[in-house]
Amino acid sequence: MWPFRPDRLTDVFSEEEIRALLLLGEEVGSAVTFVEALPDGGFRSLDPHPRRDERRPDPFCSFFRHGLVGAEPAFAGADAACAECEQSLARLLLRPPDGYRGDPSWRRCHMGLVDFQSPVEVGGRVIGSVIAGRVVREDAARERIRKIVARIGAQTRAEQGDVAIRPASEKVRRRLSQEIADVPEATDDLPRRLADFARRLGDLAARQFRVKQLVVEEDLLAVVERWPREVPPSTGDLRRQMAATLDLIRGRLGIDYLAFMARRPGGLDDESDVRLPLIAESGLAQAVGARKIGLIRDRIRFEPDGAMEMASRGRDTVIAVIGALVEEVQTSNGLKDTLAGAAFCAPIELRPGREVAVFFGRPGSTVPPVEEDHVLLVRLAASLARRYYALALEVDRGRIADRARKRDEQADKLRGTLQEIKAAEREARETKGFTDFDAPKLVRSRVEQAAEAASARGVEIDSRSLPDRLPVRAHRAMIGEALDLLLRFGIERSLPTRQGGSPSPVRVFLKKGTKTVTFGVEAIGELLSSDERRRLLRRPARARRGRQDGDGAGERPRGSDPDAPDLDLAFRVARRHRGRFRLESERLHRFDDDPKRWVARLELTLELPATVVRMKEGGKAGRQA
């Protein structure tokens, strides 16, 4: 709402923020709570933790207000009586008497304890107050409090007030009387600390309010900028679109009317026509009962560079523009008075011949606008003017629509051609370095190279399930290096299935599906933990794409951990072929000597789509392996 000014603390802070600020209040030296006024004239406490001992020990008040005997209150009616007492204290600041200067004040509560209070101000407006204390000002006051405690439940109706307090038993009364000795005595600097905390809270609220105000303003400007960009079929549709946008702006700003006056597109070339007729309005018809208004521009030219400066003068600008009004037959007599009472008028000139005047009615709030508010209104008017003329010219000139349609058709053809070119370039780029080779032969050669490392660990490599022949076209070097990586990983992780046995064989397999070709290694090893699995499966950064061609495919990327398995290569190979790399870990049974550890089946697969890895049933693939 414009001009928006916060009236309460909850206009600025959320419940979570208030809870955090209450914890910061411990620096005052006493538990604090916030109080704000309600629209109906009442008051409410904003302490999400009414049991103050959750933040700072306060045994007397905590037991008196919230103590329990079984499931029943120790002092029935005490919480309501204390809340009523806090509201009477808050009324002193939130409804201050004449001559009040905003200094911290104090007051004894109905139990004889002293509470201090300081106002929280934003822009000279009191939006709440901070209450702290529950102390005694002198040691002699403790005896008066004991007398009050002794009379709880025995007062007359006049002494009790609106809320009667009843102790559950004499035992709880004695306990409450014992807590009086622990009530702290007020220090001399408590009011100063409280006032300093309230001042800093007001400064924070002012900054928070400004942030919220900017968010609301930018959101409103974004809505106007997203005004439908489709060309309306007629001038009437354009006016209706404009009126709908004005309705939205008027509702967001909370003003009584909004009037948009501008040259019609048909009169842009006619220099003799200087009228700015009413194009669209929201709420003005209800105010004056008129829909056709003539406005003659003043002799002063509203230059684009000076529009913001003129608008910042507020009322002077409104009076200058109103002076150019010309009453027409259809114009009601109250139009000038209504527009003269506008809170602001934004004169905008996009360029000579394209002038706009936007009148903003008065806001529903009684708070007067300030200069900072005018900037938003000028920006709104400028956005409306740009969108109006951009769409109005399209509506008025049909040939532009025909030209745009032809341009779109040509653009579609160019886009189609460009997509074909890009597809061809992408296919050439993706298949760079691809050759025809026999996949099983490549796997067997990599198995032979890994045999020595496997023998050193006592591990056998089982490649009996490989097919006799499977010609493919893919990046042979990258797939070969990926196979070396998978075999090395399987050999290093291989363990015996039972304690005292030899390591289980590492099985190598190659599967041909209808849509995929899968290279895989299976081993029996220890189950991977979640942390280890995440570390192994961290994906390579996209910045490494430049290394995906043939040369340097197996190099470790910069910055990687030299001790961690380099599974990045498997990811890069999968991405180069538009496939995926997977690492599965399936539990089999627990270790014999350590029940907390598991033996698992480890399976690493490199699954490549047949659309990229093109399988050939004959040709020279086998001879080129």
Side-chain angles (χ1 to χ4, degrees):
M1 179 181 296
W2 171 82
F4 168 71
R5 299 293 182 271
D7 296 320
R8 295 179 296 277
L9 283 168
T10 49
D11 290 339
V12 181
F13 299 113
S14 65
E15 181 179 336
E16 292 77 10
E17 292 169 334
I18 289 176
R19 185 180 294 112
L21 291 170
L22 284 168
L23 295 176
L24 294 177
E26 293 181 354
E27 64 187 46
V28 174
S30 173
V32 300
T33 188
F34 302 148
V35 177
E36 68 176 11
L38 297 176
D40 58 4
F43 304 89
R44 69 171 175 177
S45 171
L46 300 181
D47 192 346
H49 298 296
R51 300 174 186 268
R52 295 190 185 181
D53 52 346
E54 295 182 8
R55 301 195 313 273
R56 183 178 178 88
D58 196 358
F60 180 83
C61 291
S62 296
F63 180 66
F64 180 63
R65 294 187 67 170
H66 310 292
L68 297 175
V69 177
E72 298 297 326
F75 293 88
D79 190 34
C82 291
E84 182 180 324
C85 189
E86 284 183 348
Q87 290 199 8
S88 65
L89 177 60
R91 190 175 292 106
L92 178 64
L93 286 185
L94 301 180
R95 298 287 187 271
D98 295 337
Y100 177 69
R101 295 181 300 175
D103 299 326
S105 59
W106 67 274
R107 182 177 177 179
R108 286 191 180 91
C109 73
H110 66 116
M111 294 300 295
L113 277 70
V114 173
D115 270 336
F116 292 87
Q117 181 174 239
S118 186
V120 179
E121 298 184 2
V122 174
R125 297 167 57 84
V126 177
I127 65 172
S129 63
V130 183
I131 298 177
R134 295 184 179 177
V135 296
V136 294
R137 304 203 67 177
E138 55 188 0
D139 196 59
R142 302 181 194 274
E143 188 59 33
R144 290 196 299 267
I145 299 175
R146 289 190 178 93
K147 292 179 180 180
I148 295 174
V149 171
R151 297 187 61 195
I152 293 177
Q155 299 99 326
T156 64
R157 186 172 184 84
E159 291 173 328
Q160 290 177 351
D162 296 335
V163 181
I165 305 174
R166 299 181 303 276
S169 64
E170 286 300 319
K171 183 178 179 180
V172 298
R173 190 200 302 272
R174 287 193 299 272
R175 176 182 168 183
L176 182 64
S177 183
Q178 293 171 0
E179 299 289 356
I180 298 174
D182 296 329
V183 175
E185 189 170 341
T187 59
D188 295 337
D189 63 344
L190 178 58
R192 179 188 58 79
R193 289 184 179 181
L194 183 64
D196 183 63
F197 178 71
R199 177 186 56 79
R200 288 186 284 118
L201 183 62
D203 294 341
L204 178 61
R207 291 193 293 270
Q208 185 88 339
F209 156 68
R210 184 55 183 161
V211 170
K212 289 190 174 184
Q213 187 181 41
L214 289 175
V215 170
V216 172
E217 291 180 0
E218 292 303 321
D219 178 63
L220 181 57
L221 288 169
V223 171
V224 177
E225 290 294 337
R226 292 195 298 268
W227 186 25
R229 298 181 180 272
E230 298 80 8
V231 178
S234 65
T235 303
D237 292 323
L238 176 60
R239 292 170 67 96
R240 282 188 287 273
Q241 282 188 9
M242 192 71 184
T245 305
L246 296 184
D247 287 340
L248 175 62
I249 296 175
R250 183 169 72 95
R252 292 283 187 92
L253 296 180
I255 56 180
D256 52 4
Y257 69 84
L258 191 61
F260 181 84
M261 302 176 183
R263 275 198 178 190
R264 291 193 177 93
L268 293 180
D269 299 329
D270 185 3
E271 296 183 359
S272 62
D273 185 7
V274 293
R275 294 183 306 148
L276 296 180
L278 179 68
I279 299 300
E281 58 84 22
S282 176
L284 184 62
Q286 292 84 347
V288 299
R291 292 191 59 87
K292 294 188 177 181
I293 306 167
L295 181 64
I296 303 297
R297 286 188 299 115
D298 193 18
R299 291 182 180 274
I300 300 176
R301 300 281 296 180
F302 300 126
E303 299 295 339
D305 295 338
M308 188 74 73
E309 180 181 354
M310 288 197 65
S312 67
R313 295 203 296 268
R315 288 289 302 162
D316 295 338
T317 305
V318 175
I319 295 173
V321 178
I322 292 298
L325 268 176
V326 174
E327 300 281 357
E328 291 188 348
V329 177
Q330 301 89 347
T331 303
S332 66
N333 295 330
L335 176 62
K336 269 195 173 183
D337 294 337
T338 301
L339 293 181
F344 189 75
C345 174
I348 302 295
E349 182 184 47
L350 299 180
R351 74 181 199 189
R354 298 189 186 181
E355 292 87 2
V356 166
V358 183
F359 286 86
F360 295 86
R362 291 194 173 279
S365 172
T366 58
V367 182
V370 296
E371 186 172 325
E372 288 78 4
D373 299 317
H374 299 162
V375 178
L376 167 66
L377 305 185
V378 172
R379 293 176 66 187
L380 284 173
S383 296
L384 288 171
R386 286 193 296 268
R387 291 306 306 145
Y388 167 72
Y389 279 116
L391 295 179
L393 287 172
E394 295 289 338
V395 174
D396 193 62
R397 301 177 183 180
R399 64 179 181 273
I400 298 179
D402 294 337
R403 189 182 308 128
R405 184 172 59 255
K406 293 179 181 179
R407 185 174 61 248
D408 291 341
E409 292 176 356
Q410 294 176 355
D412 289 339
K413 292 181 181 179
L414 290 175
R415 279 194 292 269
T417 304
L418 182 61
Q419 289 176 357
E420 293 176 359
I421 294 174
K422 288 183 177 180
E425 290 178 349
R426 184 169 58 252
E427 182 178 358
R429 184 172 58 253
E430 291 175 348
T431 58
K432 181 181 178 181
F434 280 33
T435 58
D436 296 333
F437 62 93
D438 185 21
K441 187 174 182 179
L442 174 64
V443 176
R444 292 188 182 97
S445 66
R446 297 298 178 171
V447 170
E448 292 176 359
Q449 294 178 13
E452 183 177 352
S455 177
R457 290 183 54 87
V459 178
E460 295 182 1
I461 302 178
D462 182 7
S463 59
R464 292 174 297 177
S465 62
L466 294 176
D468 294 336
R469 182 177 173 80
L470 180 58
V472 299
R473 182 175 180 81
H475 202 300
R476 184 179 184 277
M478 293 187 73
I479 292 179
E481 293 181 8
L483 287 172
D484 291 342
L485 170 65
L486 302 188
L487 285 167
R488 186 167 62 252
F489 186 89
I491 293 170
E492 292 175 355
R493 296 280 177 159
S494 182
L495 295 173
T497 56
R498 293 296 178 184
Q499 186 176 4
S502 58
S504 302
V506 175
R507 189 173 72 89
V508 182
F509 57 90
L510 175 62
K511 298 179 182 178
K512 172 187 175 184
T514 56
K515 297 182 179 180
T516 58
V517 177
T518 303
F519 298 84
V521 172
E522 180 183 292
I524 303 299
E526 185 174 354
L527 181 70
L528 299 177
S529 66
S530 300
D531 291 341
E532 186 177 12
R533 182 181 176 85
R534 279 194 297 270
R535 188 180 72 253
L536 290 172
L537 294 181
R538 66 182 186 278
R539 297 184 181 274
R542 292 189 175 273
R544 306 172 192 161
R545 273 185 181 171
R547 308 181 187 179
Q548 291 180 6
D549 47 2
D551 296 335
E555 296 178 1
R556 173 178 287 276
R558 294 178 182 177
S560 59
D561 185 2
D563 297 329
D566 189 8
L567 295 183
D568 284 3
L569 174 62
F571 281 110
R572 295 201 302 275
V573 173
R575 189 165 60 191
R576 179 65 184 275
H577 294 79
R578 296 193 206 172
R580 62 177 179 173
F581 170 68
R582 301 177 64 180
L583 172 58
E584 302 293 339
S585 181
E586 179 186 357
R587 293 183 180 184
L588 295 179
H589 56 81
R590 300 181 188 271
F591 275 79
D592 295 339
D593 56 345
D594 188 354
K596 294 183 179 180
R597 299 170 59 196
W598 284 81
V599 175
R601 178 183 293 106
L602 306 177
E603 184 177 272
L604 299 90
T605 57
L606 189 62
E607 189 178 277
L608 310 180
T611 55
V612 177
V613 182
R614 298 174 182 172
M615 294 175 285
K616 296 181 177 294
E617 299 301 332
K620 301 179 180 180
R623 292 193 295 274
Q624 293 186 12

